Amino acid sequence: MKFNGQVCSFEDNALYWELHIPIPAAIFEELIEEAKDKRVVCTLNEKFSFHCAMLPKGSFHYILLNREISRKLNLHLNDDVEVELIKDDSKYGMSLSEEMEEVFFSDPEGSDLFHKLTPGKQRSLIHIVNKYKSSQLRIEKSFVILDHLKNRNGILDFKCLNEDFKRFKK
């Protein structure tokens, strides 16, 4: 589904950089029939695609633009943008790095614990790994995450996970 949108900001938002693009109601209603979990792949200006959710706000839904996306596409408040949304058919709602996939393969126990987490927690952990450009760092972070889950019987504690990342560096 394609539409022309505009970059907006919430009036009640103290963080100006949290820009978003409202989704026209007719587009949302049509997409929600296919993407019941609200997960979509968004392509902006036919240049850049990313996995995201159609988020609710009062009587409408929107796509959130983080700082990285806004900078990469040089998007600012009130800019017009061409938007294409399609149902996200990926397993996790985002791409999984090859490195993390290999770590899953090499550690079945950790992989099982990871896959028992909620989809949102899985995406958060995948995002943590994906943000690193270095293949070695993605491997290390993946191992730390699975060790964290194994040491805590599958319970994810982000504060402790950050401590685990710090301890691994030493």
Side-chain angles (χ1 to χ4, degrees):
M1 315 238 112
K2 289 185 178 184
F3 65 94
N4 291 318
Q6 187 175 51
V7 177
C8 299
S9 181
F10 295 116
E11 290 179 18
D12 59 350
N13 184 2
L15 302 173
Y16 169 78
W17 58 265
E18 286 191 3
L19 300 174
H20 68 279
I21 302 168
I23 303 169
I27 300 278
F28 174 78
E29 291 302 324
E30 196 170 331
L31 266 172
I32 199 66
E33 293 298 315
E34 295 176 44
K36 299 212 182 296
D37 62 357
K38 299 183 182 178
R39 299 296 306 174
V40 293
V41 176
C42 177
T43 303
L44 300 177
N45 293 334
E46 297 181 347
K47 292 182 192 174
F48 182 77
S49 297
F50 58 100
H51 298 263
C52 62
M54 298 184 291
L55 301 168
K57 175 78 170 173
S59 62
F60 72 98
H61 287 78
Y62 64 94
I63 299 297
L64 187 64
L65 301 176
N66 63 26
R67 284 185 199 189
E68 180 184 346
I69 293 168
S70 299
R71 285 181 186 149
K72 191 172 278 192
L73 296 174
N74 196 27
L75 293 175
H76 303 283
L77 187 61
N78 299 322
D79 283 354
D80 291 325
V81 63
E82 185 180 313
V83 181
E84 181 177 13
L85 301 176
I86 58 171
K87 179 182 185 262
D88 186 342
D89 288 323
S90 65
K91 181 175 180 178
Y92 300 103
M94 63 188 330
S95 58
L96 180 69
S97 71
E98 289 180 28
E99 294 86 356
M100 192 168 199
E101 194 169 9
E102 286 299 319
V103 171
F104 285 165
F105 183 73
S106 70
D107 186 350
E109 179 188 356
S111 177
D112 288 344
L113 292 171
F114 174 87
H115 288 95
K116 288 179 182 174
L117 297 172
T118 64
K121 287 180 181 177
Q122 290 175 5
R123 279 191 298 275
S124 293
L125 294 173
I126 292 168
H127 177 71
I128 289 169
V129 172
N130 285 352
K131 71 181 180 181
Y132 293 95
K133 292 180 181 175
S134 161
S135 180
Q136 184 61 37
L137 282 174
R138 287 193 297 265
I139 291 168
E140 290 172 6
K141 298 297 180 185
S142 297
F143 274 117
V144 171
I145 287 168
L146 296 190
D147 282 345
H148 171 85
L149 292 173
K150 290 189 297 189
N151 292 334
R152 290 176 175 66
N153 298 316
I155 296 175
L156 177 61
D157 180 328
F158 284 104
K159 186 175 181 180
C160 291
L161 178 60
N162 282 330
E163 292 301 316
D164 291 345
F165 285 141
K166 290 176 188 174
R167 274 194 293 280
F168 184 80
K169 285 182 185 179
K170 293 178 181 178

